[in-house]
Amino acid sequence: YDKPITISDLSKAIGIPAAYIEPIIKKLVDGELMVQMNSGKVYTDFIIFDEHDRTANIELEQELAKKHYKAIWEYMERGLEELHEQEYYKQQTPTAREKLDSFFAVRTAGHIFRHFKAEKTGKWNFEEFTERPNGGKWHAMGSRYPADYDWEGTRWYKWYYIDGELDTYFKDYEGLKELSFSSYDTILGKAHNGWNDIGYVKRPLSEDVLTKMLYAIYSGKENLLPVIDAHCFDNIDGLIKLGFLRKDENGKVMIDVPVIKMNDRWELYKLSDKYSAEIAESLDAEFDKLLENAVKLPSHLKSVPNWQRYMQCASLISMMIVMNAHENGLFFAGRNFEENPVPAVFMAITE
C-alpha cells in the first residue's frame, strides 16, 4: 500500500513462495483491488485508514460537539416529533418506537457531515462510482490496527463510533415480495457486534440467519427456526438481552424490533435526510476546521475518490452529539444502555 513492491520482495515479506501468491495477485489485479505496473511492481489500489487518520480530529470533534449539541438537537427534536406523527410509528409497541427513535437519531446525526462535507470535498454519489469488470460499482476501503490494539480500552471507539448501516435484503421470501433488516451498531445498543459476539449469544449469527429468525417469530412461523439454523433456540436469551426479542406475560417469545412497510422505510429515510441536510446547512463556519486533516495518500494512488480522504474527519462527532444530548437529559435521559439497550434497528416488508 505505502509503496509499490516487486512480487519477489512481497514473497519474502509475507513468507509465502512467489509461485503461490502470483495467481492471487492476478485475481486481485483483474478485480481492480491491486495494480501491476509496467515494471512488474504491484500495489494495493484503495485507501487504507490507520490510527492517526481515525484520531486526528478527536479533540476538535469533542469541542464542537459539546459547544453545538443543543442547537443541533433542536433540529433533531423537530425531526423526532415529525416521526412520532407518522402512522407506521404509532402502530409500533412502546419499545419498538424507541428503536425507531434510535435509528432516526443515529442515521440523521451520521448523515449531517455527509451533507456538510459534500459541499467541499465532493459528493458520495453512487451514480459516479466506478464500473467494475465483474459486475457492480464500488470503491473499496480498509483499516489497519496494531497487533496489540486495545479495543475495550479505546473509549472513543467504544463510545462514539457508528458501525453500519448494515442492510440485509431478501426478495420473494416466505410469501413476501421483500424483506429487509437494517441496523447501526452504536453505544445505544449493539447490533452485528452483538449477534456475532459469544459474550452475548451462545452461537454467533450471520445477518441472514438473524433476519430470517426475527421474521419467523414475527409471522408466527416458529417451526421454521430449526430449518433456518440449528442453533436458533440457543440464542433466544442472548437476543432478548440485546433487545431484539422479548417475552410476553405468558412467557411467549415475541419480536421486539419495529416492523414497517417497505414504502414507509423510504419515508423514514426521506425524513432523516431532510433534517440532516437542515442541520448541515446550519453549521457554523468553525466546522470547516474538521476538513483540515484529510488522509494523505501515497503518491502512486490515483483512483481514490476525494470524498474518501475526508471520511475520518468527522467520523466520531455524530455520536458525540447524540451522547451529549443523552448525558444532558435530552435523549433517553438516565438510560443505562448496557442494561437496557435501544439498538438502532428495524425490519421492513412488502407483502
Side-chain angles (χ1 to χ4, degrees):
Y1 174 77
D2 293 314
K3 64 179 181 178
I5 190 172
T6 66
I7 293 177
S8 175
D9 286 340
L10 179 58
S11 170
K12 293 174 184 176
I14 63 177
I16 297 175
Y20 289 103
I21 63 173
E22 283 173 343
I24 297 171
I25 289 172
K26 184 178 185 307
K27 285 184 178 181
L28 292 170
V29 170
D30 291 344
E32 300 187 352
L33 288 168
M34 294 188 77
V35 169
Q36 189 156 26
M37 305 167 71
N38 291 335
S39 64
K41 290 183 177 181
V42 295
Y43 63 85
T44 302
D45 194 29
F46 56 85
I47 193 169
I48 299 177
F49 302 108
D50 62 20
E51 189 70 352
H52 174 267
D53 300 327
R54 290 186 291 270
T55 60
N57 274 343
I58 283 183
E59 291 183 3
L60 177 59
E61 289 179 276
Q62 288 175 324
E63 175 188 328
L64 291 173
K66 186 174 182 179
K67 182 177 179 180
H68 295 281
Y69 81 90
K70 286 184 180 178
I72 290 172
W73 208 256
E74 288 179 6
Y75 288 90
M76 188 73 79
E77 285 184 333
R78 290 203 293 271
L80 288 165
E81 287 172 4
E82 196 167 336
L83 172 66
H84 297 170
E85 293 302 313
Q86 305 307 308
E87 196 59 36
Y88 64 82
Y89 183 91
K90 295 177 181 179
Q91 292 171 355
Q92 308 300 317
T93 65
T95 51
R97 289 176 187 175
E98 289 182 332
K99 284 147 196 168
L100 278 178
D101 288 346
S102 180
F103 190 94
F104 179 85
V106 170
R107 186 184 188 277
T108 303
H111 281 234
I112 292 169
F113 295 95
R114 180 178 293 183
H115 291 289
F116 173 75
K117 289 182 293 183
E119 299 300 317
K120 301 168 175 59
T121 69
K123 192 173 182 180
W124 189 100
N125 188 346
F126 183 69
E127 296 304 316
E128 298 175 5
F129 273 37
T130 303
E131 292 276 2
R132 301 299 176 172
N134 299 313
K137 301 165 68 170
W138 50 263
H139 288 290
M141 66 187 78
S143 292
R144 57 182 168 188
Y145 300 87
D148 58 350
Y149 192 72
D150 183 9
W151 294 93
E152 288 300 316
T154 308
R155 187 177 186 271
W156 68 263
Y157 182 86
K158 185 175 181 181
W159 275 67
Y160 303 124
Y161 203 73
I162 298 175
D163 198 346
E165 177 181 346
L166 181 66
D167 184 48
T168 308
Y169 178 85
F170 296 97
K171 193 170 184 177
D172 299 323
Y173 177 73
E174 287 296 319
L176 292 177
K177 289 183 180 179
E178 296 177 291
L179 169 67
S180 72
F181 185 72
S182 303
S183 66
Y184 288 98
D185 204 301
T186 73
I187 189 65
L188 304 179
K190 288 190 175 294
H192 37 282
N193 287 333
W195 70 66
N196 282 316
D197 185 348
I198 57 173
Y200 291 89
V201 294
K202 290 185 178 179
R203 306 274 187 169
L205 294 163
S206 70
E207 56 266 27
D208 286 8
V209 167
L210 177 82
T211 303
K212 291 177 180 179
M213 181 179 176
L214 291 176
Y215 180 69
I217 294 171
Y218 167 74
S219 60
K221 299 177 180 178
E222 290 88 347
N223 59 302
L224 292 177
L225 293 177
V227 179
I228 293 168
D229 188 277
H231 304 295
C232 279
F233 291 107
D234 295 337
N235 286 323
I236 295 291
D237 289 342
L239 292 174
I240 289 174
K241 182 179 179 182
L242 287 165
F244 297 112
L245 299 174
R246 63 182 175 87
K247 289 184 179 179
D248 67 12
E249 60 276 9
N250 298 316
K252 180 178 173 56
V253 175
M254 309 284 287
I255 191 173
D256 201 23
V257 303
V259 181
I260 64 179
K261 303 296 184 185
M262 194 66 72
N263 60 324
D264 292 328
R265 171 186 175 171
W266 306 126
E267 291 301 317
L268 171 64
Y269 283 24
K270 189 185 298 184
L271 185 64
S272 173
D273 290 340
K274 170 187 171 182
Y275 281 94
S276 60
E278 285 187 12
I279 295 169
E281 290 174 8
S282 76
L283 296 182
D284 193 280
E286 64 183 313
F287 283 85
D288 286 341
K289 296 177 184 176
L290 290 168
L291 304 179
E292 295 175 2
N293 285 311
V295 174
K296 293 178 174 61
L297 296 171
S299 59
H300 58 274
L301 224 59
K302 307 298 183 186
S303 69
V304 175
N306 196 46
W307 55 264
Q308 280 192 324
R309 296 179 52 237
Y310 292 85
M311 285 186 64
Q312 301 292 338
C313 289
S315 62
L316 304 177
I317 190 171
S318 296
M319 279 307 294
M320 287 176 177
I321 291 166
V322 173
M323 291 307 291
N324 266 286
H326 164 66
E327 290 163 1
N328 287 278
L330 299 178
F331 190 57
F332 294 123
R335 187 84 165 236
N336 182 320
F337 297 118
E338 187 64 37
E339 296 176 0
N340 195 4
V342 196
V345 298
F346 71 90
M347 181 179 287
I349 61 175
T350 302
E351 295 176 341

